[in-house]
Amino acid sequence: MGPRGRGGGTPVTTTQQDVQIKPAKRPAAELRALAESGAAELGWDASADEVIAWVAKNFATGAAAVACSMADAVLPAVVAEQLPGVDVLFLDTGYHFPETYQTRNEVAENLRVNIVDVLPHQTVAEQDASEGKDLFARDPGRCCALRKVEPLHRSLAGYELWFTGVRRDEAPTRTNTPLVTFDEKNGLVKVNPLAAWTFDQLVQYSEDNLLPVNPLLAQGFLSIGCAPCTRAVAPGEDPRAGRWSGTDKTECGLHV
């Protein structure tokens, strides 16, 4: 069986700069009301397919985007089943592992999605010149803000809704993740269809559907971010313990 959501032909890939920013089709108040009604309708434990079906009923495919870290292809594959051709936003920080870029390319080639490379305003070299070398080591919060949070915020301005792969079992900070909410910071609906999944469910789904997966997962990297700020975790450790290890930082800022 081929990858679920597999599409034939030449993969479509663009950069954030190539994408024409789309004006919001509906005002924030209407989107907030939709998020509230969706949360009430779906409750706490609706399946991923039910959550995405609600999105497909209330939003055009072009109004939605999937944020993907390229640890695996489960979220893009699940969403593309009902929203084929959906934009998948890849935050190209310039610091990713080679395996992450490899996974990104496999997703572009094998799934019915449109990969959008979202870039920071500055290259790594330009940031080193303006902020000092290795900002990630001195001020990881600012580095994340410049290379992840601001670029995503800028990119999301063209959408009414974004999907994330946040799961409740990932960390104590994510235990109360809802399926649908209104993202006040970015001004659009935020949907977490895999929130109730466990890591084992994620792996099983990926294996059952022959989806691209980042090779680092098999090496103990259960949460994959930028190479300088990510390590493998020991058995029994929090899956996100390898992110910004040795600091008090637990989130990059995308979801808080």
Side-chain angles (χ1 to χ4, degrees):
M1 174 177 155
R4 195 176 189 201
R6 185 182 181 92
T10 303
V12 178
T13 306
T14 57
T15 64
Q16 193 271 334
Q17 288 93 334
D18 294 328
V19 178
Q20 182 178 357
I21 298 299
K22 297 166 286 191
K25 297 178 182 177
R26 287 170 285 191
E30 185 174 347
L31 295 177
R32 186 181 292 105
L34 263 175
E36 292 172 356
S37 66
E41 177 182 336
L42 294 165
W44 187 249
D45 292 315
S47 71
D49 284 344
E50 290 170 333
V51 174
I52 297 164
W54 174 82
V55 173
K57 182 176 67 175
N58 291 283
F59 296 85
T61 299
V66 178
C68 184
S69 67
M70 299 300 167
D72 58 76
V74 173
L75 180 63
V78 172
V79 173
E81 279 291 300
Q82 299 187 62
L83 296 172
V86 68
D87 285 352
V88 173
L89 308 182
F90 173 57
L91 298 179
D92 189 355
T93 65
Y95 283 119
H96 287 302
F97 292 97
E99 292 88 346
T100 299
Y101 288 110
Q102 172 190 328
T103 305
R104 172 231 176 272
N105 293 339
E106 291 177 0
V107 169
E109 292 168 1
N110 291 289
L111 300 184
R112 291 181 296 171
V113 299
N114 176 43
I115 298 291
V116 179
D117 292 324
V118 178
L119 306 175
H121 283 303
Q122 295 182 314
T123 66
V124 170
E126 289 169 342
Q127 179 174 292
D128 284 348
S130 64
E131 301 281 340
K133 188 172 175 56
D134 296 344
L135 179 63
F136 58 80
R138 294 178 287 104
D139 191 345
R142 178 158 175 77
C143 191
C144 285
L146 292 173
R147 308 204 71 76
K148 297 180 75 173
V149 179
E150 189 284 329
L152 180 68
H153 178 74
R154 176 172 17 103
S155 185
L156 287 178
Y159 301 96
E160 292 185 337
L161 174 147
W162 68 305
F163 291 97
T164 90
V166 172
R167 302 192 322 276
R168 296 167 188 156
D169 76 337
E170 291 181 293
T173 55
R174 299 185 171 190
T175 302
N176 296 318
T177 298
L179 295 175
V180 179
T181 188
F182 186 76
D183 180 349
E184 295 287 351
K185 182 169 64 175
N186 290 300
L188 75 172
V189 179
K190 183 177 181 181
V191 178
N192 309 297
L194 308 183
W197 286 32
T198 64
F199 178 74
D200 288 343
Q201 285 177 294
L202 195 80
V203 171
Q204 190 64 56
Y205 185 93
S206 185
E207 292 176 350
D208 289 346
N209 292 281
L210 303 180
L211 296 175
V213 61
N214 195 314
L216 292 172
L217 285 177
Q219 300 174 36
F221 290 80
L222 301 188
S223 179
I224 302 170
C226 294
C229 301
T230 307
R231 65 164 174 82
V233 299
E237 265 193 306
D238 186 308
R240 289 180 61 83
R243 303 289 293 275
W244 308 286
S245 183
T247 76
D248 60 2
K249 184 174 173 59
T250 59
E251 294 281 351
C252 62
L254 298 180
H255 304 294
V256 293

